[in-house]
């Protein structure tokens, strides 16, 4: 079954490549993409795993800036999509021999199908600076792996600055946690929400995400756990917006820790744009949206996965 789905997806990729290449050849006949695509894929796949999805590396970023400058933003965006397709083709070449467990392989294929259904893309330009496209590109190159719900996971490390970003009590708790629970600050899986999958942001999808991370942890024994950063992990959000408490409640009950990072304009915008209540409280000076880290040790997360009730993971339909 996976072989058939992979073959079908490769055919879709070829069709999308032909369509986009024809656009590029028509609008920029002097542009030769084949050698540039190979170079771009190689540059992307040579980046260390621990670098975040938004990091393209100096050489690749400069190449994309040059294409934009010489051939226009529209053709640069077409090239970026061709780059994503080429990365996906490379990822799928030996896909069935990869060490991903079958549920994650199935989910990965479904995400690629959903992503490529939207090609050619109509996102904010330029694509190589577009957060959602960069997540798509990281998925296509398997730097990010869909794990369930609306979330993907990538390898990362935790900055030691977390020790000094809160109170003295937080310093003590974090020092004990990273010394005794995880025995270090890297490697971890960091999860990110993909905005185009926001219809899957709910309690069931969140549990699917945790289950997916547990499957990844089972495959790679040296990863120390999982973490995520957002304003909605702030403990005060449970009182202001209790419907969001599921995003960290079950994890905290099972040993996860929450640490304050700090507030930025991005946190304020993200917390207030969809909630009049949070927006009013912020304007009245009664609430300051603040970024927090949710971090869960490998041992505790795997224990949660083993004792939690059976969850129908990776159902891609709307919950």
């Amino acid at each position: 079954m996976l072989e058939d789905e992979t073959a079908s997806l490769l055919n879709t990729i070829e069709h999308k490549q032909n369509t986009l290449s024809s656009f590029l050849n028509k609008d920029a006949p002097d542009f030769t993409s084949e050698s540039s695509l190979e170079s771009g894929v190689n540059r992307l796949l040579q980046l260390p795993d621990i670098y975040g999805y938004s990091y393209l590396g100096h050489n690749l970023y400069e190449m994309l800036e040059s294409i934009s400058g010489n051939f226009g933003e529209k053709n640069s965006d077409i090239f970026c999509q061709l780059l994503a397709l080429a990365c996906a083709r490379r990822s799928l070449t030996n896909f069935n021999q990869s060490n991903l467990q079958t549920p994650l392989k199935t989910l990965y294929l479904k995400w690629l199908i959903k992503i490529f259904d939207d090609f050619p893309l109509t996102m904010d330009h330029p694509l190589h600076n577009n957060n959602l496209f960069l997540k798509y590109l990281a998925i296509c190159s398997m730097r990010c792996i869909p794990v369930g719900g609306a979330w993907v996971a990538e390898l990362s490390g935790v900055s030691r600055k977390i020790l000094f970003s809160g109170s003295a009590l937080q310093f003590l708790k974090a020092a004990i946690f990273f010394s005794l629970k995880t025995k270090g600050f890297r490697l971890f899986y960091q999860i990110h929400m993909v905005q185009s999958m926001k219809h899957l942001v709910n309690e069931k999808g969140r549990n699917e995400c945790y289950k997916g991370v547990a499957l990844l942890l089972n495959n790679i024994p040296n990863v120390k756990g999982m973490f995520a950063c957002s304003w909605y992990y702030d403990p005060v959000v449970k009182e202001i917006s209790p419907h969001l408490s599921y995003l960290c409640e079950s994890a905290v009950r099972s040993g996860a820790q929450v640490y304050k990072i700090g507030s930025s304009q991005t946190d304020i915008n993200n917390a207030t744009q969809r909630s009049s209540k949070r927006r009013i409280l912020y304007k009245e000076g009664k609430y300051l949206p603040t970024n927090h880290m949710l971090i869960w040790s490998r041992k505790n997360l795997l224990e949660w996965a083993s004792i939690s009730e059976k969850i129908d993971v990776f159902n891609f339909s709307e919950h």
Side-chain angles (χ1 to χ4, degrees):
M1 181 64 72
L2 281 175
E3 289 82 357
D4 293 341
E5 291 176 351
T6 303
S8 175
L9 186 51
L10 285 169
N11 287 334
T12 298
I13 288 171
E14 183 177 3
H15 172 71
K16 296 288 185 178
Q17 285 176 319
N18 290 337
T19 299
L20 288 165
S21 293
S22 68
F23 292 160
L24 192 59
N25 293 335
K26 181 179 179 180
D27 201 49
D30 296 332
F31 184 83
T32 304
S33 67
E34 187 172 341
S35 59
S36 298
L37 273 176
E38 183 178 357
S39 174
V41 172
N42 288 334
R43 291 179 188 189
L44 190 64
L45 297 182
Q46 287 168 5
L47 293 175
D49 286 339
I50 200 169
Y51 285 28
Y53 70 87
S54 62
Y55 180 74
L56 297 178
H58 176 75
N59 291 337
L60 178 56
Y61 187 81
E62 287 297 308
M63 184 174 82
L64 296 174
E65 285 282 289
S66 176
I67 292 171
S68 181
N70 292 326
F71 297 97
E73 209 167 67
K74 174 185 172 183
N75 290 313
S76 173
D77 287 353
I78 291 173
F79 180 83
C80 283
Q81 293 172 78
L82 286 168
L83 180 63
L85 290 161
C87 284
R89 179 180 288 278
R90 180 84 66 92
S91 297
L92 292 174
T93 300
N94 298 308
F95 179 65
N96 291 318
Q97 284 74 49
S98 73
N99 65 353
L100 284 181
Q101 295 189 34
T102 299
L104 291 178
K105 286 182 178 178
T106 301
L107 184 63
Y108 182 75
L109 294 176
K110 288 180 177 179
W111 272 63
L112 286 187
I113 291 169
K114 174 65 173 66
I115 289 170
F116 294 146
D117 274 350
D118 295 336
F119 278 41
L121 296 170
T122 55
M123 295 178 174
D124 291 339
H125 306 291
L127 286 187
H128 64 277
N129 287 326
N130 182 288
N131 186 271
L132 178 56
F133 175 76
L134 291 173
K135 287 177 180 174
Y136 283 176
L137 184 59
I139 293 165
C140 291
S141 58
M142 297 191 79
R143 296 164 67 203
C144 283
I145 302 296
V147 287
W151 288 272
V152 295
E154 67 176 354
L155 286 173
S156 186
V158 176
S159 171
R160 286 173 170 79
K161 290 180 181 178
I162 196 67
L163 295 171
F164 309 101
S165 59
S167 64
L169 179 60
Q170 175 170 300
F171 175 89
L172 181 61
K173 288 176 63 178
I176 293 172
F177 180 82
F178 287 104
S179 297
L180 301 181
K181 281 282 189 179
T182 65
K183 295 182 171 59
F185 291 83
R186 62 175 62 180
L187 294 166
F188 286 84
Y189 280 113
Q190 182 175 6
I191 60 170
H192 302 281
M193 189 188 80
V194 177
Q195 195 65 26
S196 60
M197 305 293 183
K198 61 184 178 181
H199 62 285
L200 299 174
V201 177
N202 51 48
E203 187 169 4
K204 185 173 187 291
R206 187 63 169 187
N207 286 329
E208 290 175 352
C209 165
Y210 293 153
K211 285 281 191 176
V213 174
L215 290 177
L216 289 176
L217 290 173
N218 279 326
N219 276 349
I220 308 181
N222 65 322
V223 178
K224 299 179 184 299
M226 180 213 87
F227 76 94
C229 300
S230 179
W231 60 270
Y232 46 70
Y233 300 127
D234 186 343
V236 304
V237 171
K238 182 171 64 173
E239 307 301 326
I240 299 171
S241 302
H243 63 287
L244 298 177
S245 61
Y246 72 86
L247 286 163
C248 64
E249 200 168 58
S250 64
V252 170
R253 283 200 306 265
S254 300
Q257 299 287 307
V258 175
Y259 300 128
K260 178 182 176 181
I261 297 175
S263 182
S264 70
Q265 190 59 50
T266 298
D267 300 313
I268 294 168
N269 293 342
N270 289 341
T272 58
Q273 64 182 350
R274 293 182 180 274
S275 169
S276 58
K277 181 179 181 180
R278 292 193 296 270
R279 188 161 54 249
I280 291 168
L281 288 173
Y282 168 68
K283 288 180 177 179
E284 292 177 347
K286 298 176 181 178
Y287 166 54
L288 177 63
T290 303
N291 195 16
H292 280 67
M293 175 187 290
L294 172 74
I295 185 160
W296 208 353
S297 72
R298 173 191 185 89
K299 180 176 181 292
N300 286 148
L301 196 161
L302 290 177
E303 285 176 351
W304 173 89
S306 68
I307 65 176
S308 62
E309 62 180 339
K310 183 176 176 58
I311 298 169
D312 180 21
V313 294
F314 315 127
N315 177 6
F316 199 67
S317 61
E318 235 178 288
H319 299 96

